[in-house]
Amino acid sequence: MTSKQEFIEKLRNSSLRPTKQRINICEVLFNRDKTFHFTISDLFNLIKDKTGEKVSLATVYNTVHAFHKKGYLKEIPINSNQTYFDTNVTDHHHFFDVKEEKLIDLKNEDVGPIEIQRSIPGKKIKSVEVLVKLED
Amino acid sequence: MTSKQEFIEKLRNSSLRPTKQRINICEVLFNRDKTFHFTISDLFNLIKDKTGEKVSLATVYNTVHAFHKKGYLKEIPINSNQTYFDTNVTDHHHFFDVKEEKLIDLKNEDVGPIEIQRSIPGKKIKSVEVLVKLED
DNA sequence: ATCTTCTTTAGAATAATTATAAACAACGAA
DNA sequence: TTCGTTGTTTATAATTATTCTAAAGAAGAT
Ligand SMILES: [Mn+2]
Ligand SMILES: [Mn+2]
Ligand SMILES: [Zn+2]
Ligand SMILES: [Zn+2]
């Protein structure tokens, strides 16, 4: 449980002004036990539901991108018509339940270390992500 | 090198009528040595260039989805504004050069076997894909 | 308080994809 | 081969996620 005050500080420290909208978004995104996987429209709806206050869709986009740029959110590569984001910004892998369209975190020990035995001259590895698709 | 006749048979066997457009698309997609990674707009432009004949954009979409449904093309999960397809429909992994926006096949031995140590009740694994993002 | 800069917002613009429906082409049976 | 049926192509419109715009509002500094 993070207090509103702490969100305000974190925002200030990131040179993001602590607006009412951003604080509400922080509460929805980061006041949870487990990692949270969402689309913009998931988040947009949740804000209304959980805080009672409406934030414009443009602001949700702006804020998510601001947080993404600051490294507080991660983008998850799956083929969907909507982009998925993740509050777990560490390097980790996923199950994707194709039917439910739901992401589930895998612990690194659920997958084991992955050694890439090939390299491309002039390029270095930025990330290694495993996506395990699930069906019934 | 696959002959036009062979494409016609393959299409018929898949209960897809062998139209001029589909045969042209087959030539562009499948008459190559290496695996081919593409977006719809890549393909749309290549058809004009390589066959001299224009195929409507709607037909390119229709055909790619028909081939995808038949299992002749694979969709690659990366976050991009456009969907990527792959003529290599086997289970395999990728480099993604973020700057060039280009996919490169990894051989399975470049990655090694991946054992998923966790399961979700009622669900089974459909695919396991590794995406290695590259930067400069 | 005042000024500056950043943020929010509604609405418009963009761009990938999908839907529509009319013209057309492949097929199979006569 | 002709004819009727069914599948396909196409231009174009519709849809949808996302980004842009520009004006109004809020936060921070002086
Ligand atoms: Mn996650
Ligand atoms: Mn590939
Ligand atoms: Zn982003
Ligand atoms: Zn498809």
PDB file of all heavy atoms in Angstrom, chain B residues 61 64-69 73 75 83 85, chain C residues 18, ligand 4:
ATOM      1  N   TYR B  61      -4.824  -8.620 -47.909  1.00  0.00           N
ATOM      2  CA  TYR B  61      -5.306  -8.959 -46.565  1.00  0.00           C
ATOM      3  C   TYR B  61      -6.052 -10.292 -46.573  1.00  0.00           C
ATOM      4  O   TYR B  61      -5.789 -11.176 -45.752  1.00  0.00           O
ATOM      5  CB  TYR B  61      -6.242  -7.869 -46.032  1.00  0.00           C
ATOM      6  CG  TYR B  61      -5.539  -6.736 -45.320  1.00  0.00           C
ATOM      7  CD1 TYR B  61      -5.279  -5.545 -45.977  1.00  0.00           C
ATOM      8  CD2 TYR B  61      -5.129  -6.862 -44.005  1.00  0.00           C
ATOM      9  CE1 TYR B  61      -4.640  -4.494 -45.330  1.00  0.00           C
ATOM     10  CE2 TYR B  61      -4.496  -5.814 -43.350  1.00  0.00           C
ATOM     11  CZ  TYR B  61      -4.251  -4.636 -44.012  1.00  0.00           C
ATOM     12  OH  TYR B  61      -3.613  -3.612 -43.368  1.00  0.00           O
ATOM     13  N   VAL B  64      -3.568 -13.253 -47.209  1.00  0.00           N
ATOM     14  CA  VAL B  64      -2.673 -13.518 -46.079  1.00  0.00           C
ATOM     15  C   VAL B  64      -3.454 -14.190 -44.953  1.00  0.00           C
ATOM     16  O   VAL B  64      -2.984 -15.162 -44.352  1.00  0.00           O
ATOM     17  CB  VAL B  64      -1.986 -12.226 -45.601  1.00  0.00           C
ATOM     18  CG1 VAL B  64      -1.350 -12.411 -44.229  1.00  0.00           C
ATOM     19  CG2 VAL B  64      -0.929 -11.793 -46.605  1.00  0.00           C
ATOM     20  N   HIS B  65      -4.663 -13.741 -44.703  1.00  0.00           N
ATOM     21  CA  HIS B  65      -5.434 -14.381 -43.634  1.00  0.00           C
ATOM     22  C   HIS B  65      -5.865 -15.784 -44.017  1.00  0.00           C
ATOM     23  O   HIS B  65      -5.886 -16.682 -43.167  1.00  0.00           O
ATOM     24  CB  HIS B  65      -6.599 -13.512 -43.202  1.00  0.00           C
ATOM     25  CG  HIS B  65      -6.164 -12.422 -42.292  1.00  0.00           C
ATOM     26  ND1 HIS B  65      -6.410 -11.097 -42.519  1.00  0.00           N
ATOM     27  CD2 HIS B  65      -5.422 -12.469 -41.156  1.00  0.00           C
ATOM     28  CE1 HIS B  65      -5.859 -10.363 -41.557  1.00  0.00           C
ATOM     29  NE2 HIS B  65      -5.247 -11.173 -40.715  1.00  0.00           N
ATOM     30  N   ALA B  66      -6.183 -15.987 -45.278  1.00  0.00           N
ATOM     31  CA  ALA B  66      -6.523 -17.347 -45.719  1.00  0.00           C
ATOM     32  C   ALA B  66      -5.322 -18.272 -45.532  1.00  0.00           C
ATOM     33  O   ALA B  66      -5.453 -19.381 -44.997  1.00  0.00           O
ATOM     34  CB  ALA B  66      -6.964 -17.332 -47.178  1.00  0.00           C
ATOM     35  N   PHE B  67      -4.158 -17.823 -45.942  1.00  0.00           N
ATOM     36  CA  PHE B  67      -2.946 -18.647 -45.805  1.00  0.00           C
ATOM     37  C   PHE B  67      -2.611 -18.864 -44.335  1.00  0.00           C
ATOM     38  O   PHE B  67      -2.162 -19.940 -43.929  1.00  0.00           O
ATOM     39  CB  PHE B  67      -1.767 -18.002 -46.536  1.00  0.00           C
ATOM     40  CG  PHE B  67      -1.851 -18.062 -48.033  1.00  0.00           C
ATOM     41  CD1 PHE B  67      -2.943 -18.637 -48.678  1.00  0.00           C
ATOM     42  CD2 PHE B  67      -0.828 -17.539 -48.816  1.00  0.00           C
ATOM     43  CE1 PHE B  67      -3.013 -18.698 -50.069  1.00  0.00           C
ATOM     44  CE2 PHE B  67      -0.894 -17.592 -50.208  1.00  0.00           C
ATOM     45  CZ  PHE B  67      -1.988 -18.170 -50.830  1.00  0.00           C
ATOM     46  N   HIS B  68      -2.809 -17.829 -43.546  1.00  0.00           N
ATOM     47  CA  HIS B  68      -2.549 -17.951 -42.119  1.00  0.00           C
ATOM     48  C   HIS B  68      -3.459 -19.011 -41.503  1.00  0.00           C
ATOM     49  O   HIS B  68      -3.021 -19.881 -40.753  1.00  0.00           O
ATOM     50  CB  HIS B  68      -2.774 -16.586 -41.459  1.00  0.00           C
ATOM     51  CG  HIS B  68      -2.524 -16.569 -39.992  1.00  0.00           C
ATOM     52  ND1 HIS B  68      -3.333 -15.920 -39.106  1.00  0.00           N
ATOM     53  CD2 HIS B  68      -1.552 -17.133 -39.248  1.00  0.00           C
ATOM     54  CE1 HIS B  68      -2.872 -16.077 -37.884  1.00  0.00           C
ATOM     55  NE2 HIS B  68      -1.789 -16.807 -37.937  1.00  0.00           N
ATOM     56  N   LYS B  69      -4.740 -18.946 -41.866  1.00  0.00           N
ATOM     57  CA  LYS B  69      -5.711 -19.897 -41.335  1.00  0.00           C
ATOM     58  C   LYS B  69      -5.366 -21.326 -41.750  1.00  0.00           C
ATOM     59  O   LYS B  69      -5.541 -22.272 -40.975  1.00  0.00           O
ATOM     60  CB  LYS B  69      -7.100 -19.518 -41.855  1.00  0.00           C
ATOM     61  CG  LYS B  69      -8.238 -20.153 -41.099  1.00  0.00           C
ATOM     62  CD  LYS B  69      -9.596 -19.677 -41.665  1.00  0.00           C
ATOM     63  CE  LYS B  69     -10.282 -18.702 -40.727  1.00  0.00           C
ATOM     64  NZ  LYS B  69     -11.540 -18.170 -41.291  1.00  0.00           N
ATOM     65  N   LEU B  73       1.232 -19.559 -43.076  1.00  0.00           N
ATOM     66  CA  LEU B  73       1.918 -18.377 -42.578  1.00  0.00           C
ATOM     67  C   LEU B  73       1.720 -18.325 -41.073  1.00  0.00           C
ATOM     68  O   LEU B  73       0.732 -18.835 -40.545  1.00  0.00           O
ATOM     69  CB  LEU B  73       1.337 -17.094 -43.191  1.00  0.00           C
ATOM     70  CG  LEU B  73       1.596 -16.840 -44.669  1.00  0.00           C
ATOM     71  CD1 LEU B  73       0.815 -15.626 -45.132  1.00  0.00           C
ATOM     72  CD2 LEU B  73       3.089 -16.654 -44.941  1.00  0.00           C
ATOM     73  N   GLU B  75       2.010 -15.748 -37.570  1.00  0.00           N
ATOM     74  CA  GLU B  75       2.008 -14.370 -37.119  1.00  0.00           C
ATOM     75  C   GLU B  75       3.054 -14.239 -36.021  1.00  0.00           C
ATOM     76  O   GLU B  75       3.131 -15.086 -35.133  1.00  0.00           O
ATOM     77  CB  GLU B  75       0.618 -14.045 -36.557  1.00  0.00           C
ATOM     78  CG  GLU B  75       0.181 -12.622 -36.771  1.00  0.00           C
ATOM     79  CD  GLU B  75      -1.256 -12.414 -36.309  1.00  0.00           C
ATOM     80  OE1 GLU B  75      -2.076 -13.353 -36.504  1.00  0.00           O
ATOM     81  OE2 GLU B  75      -1.535 -11.363 -35.742  1.00  0.00           O
ATOM     82  N   THR B  83       1.213  -5.651 -38.190  1.00  0.00           N
ATOM     83  CA  THR B  83       1.375  -7.068 -37.876  1.00  0.00           C
ATOM     84  C   THR B  83       2.432  -7.685 -38.777  1.00  0.00           C
ATOM     85  O   THR B  83       2.449  -7.431 -39.976  1.00  0.00           O
ATOM     86  CB  THR B  83       0.032  -7.791 -38.095  1.00  0.00           C
ATOM     87  OG1 THR B  83      -0.959  -7.148 -37.305  1.00  0.00           O
ATOM     88  CG2 THR B  83       0.124  -9.247 -37.699  1.00  0.00           C
ATOM     89  N   PHE B  85       4.204 -11.121 -40.396  1.00  0.00           N
ATOM     90  CA  PHE B  85       3.985 -12.518 -40.742  1.00  0.00           C
ATOM     91  C   PHE B  85       5.305 -13.154 -41.144  1.00  0.00           C
ATOM     92  O   PHE B  85       6.284 -12.466 -41.446  1.00  0.00           O
ATOM     93  CB  PHE B  85       2.972 -12.626 -41.883  1.00  0.00           C
ATOM     94  CG  PHE B  85       1.599 -12.187 -41.501  1.00  0.00           C
ATOM     95  CD1 PHE B  85       1.191 -10.877 -41.683  1.00  0.00           C
ATOM     96  CD2 PHE B  85       0.697 -13.079 -40.937  1.00  0.00           C
ATOM     97  CE1 PHE B  85      -0.079 -10.462 -41.322  1.00  0.00           C
ATOM     98  CE2 PHE B  85      -0.575 -12.676 -40.565  1.00  0.00           C
ATOM     99  CZ  PHE B  85      -0.961 -11.359 -40.764  1.00  0.00           C
TER     100      PHE B  85
ATOM    101  P    DT C  18      -7.959  -7.533 -39.565  1.00  0.00           P
ATOM    102  OP1  DT C  18      -8.100  -8.423 -38.396  1.00  0.00           O
ATOM    103  OP2  DT C  18      -7.355  -7.993 -40.820  1.00  0.00           O
ATOM    104  O5'  DT C  18      -9.397  -6.941 -39.911  1.00  0.00           O
ATOM    105  C5'  DT C  18     -10.108  -6.277 -38.892  1.00  0.00           C
ATOM    106  C4'  DT C  18     -11.485  -5.922 -39.417  1.00  0.00           C
ATOM    107  O4'  DT C  18     -11.377  -4.859 -40.379  1.00  0.00           O
ATOM    108  C3'  DT C  18     -12.215  -7.066 -40.112  1.00  0.00           C
ATOM    109  O3'  DT C  18     -13.507  -7.064 -39.562  1.00  0.00           O
ATOM    110  C2'  DT C  18     -12.155  -6.689 -41.586  1.00  0.00           C
ATOM    111  C1'  DT C  18     -12.143  -5.168 -41.512  1.00  0.00           C
ATOM    112  N1   DT C  18     -11.522  -4.410 -42.628  1.00  0.00           N
ATOM    113  C2   DT C  18     -12.208  -3.345 -43.166  1.00  0.00           C
ATOM    114  O2   DT C  18     -13.325  -3.022 -42.789  1.00  0.00           O
ATOM    115  N3   DT C  18     -11.538  -2.660 -44.161  1.00  0.00           N
ATOM    116  C4   DT C  18     -10.289  -2.930 -44.650  1.00  0.00           C
ATOM    117  O4   DT C  18      -9.794  -2.239 -45.540  1.00  0.00           O
ATOM    118  C5   DT C  18      -9.622  -4.063 -44.043  1.00  0.00           C
ATOM    119  C7   DT C  18      -8.254  -4.437 -44.507  1.00  0.00           C
ATOM    120  C6   DT C  18     -10.260  -4.729 -43.084  1.00  0.00           C
TER     121       DT C  18
HETATM  122 ZN    ZN E   4      -4.414 -13.922 -39.653  1.00  0.00          ZN
END
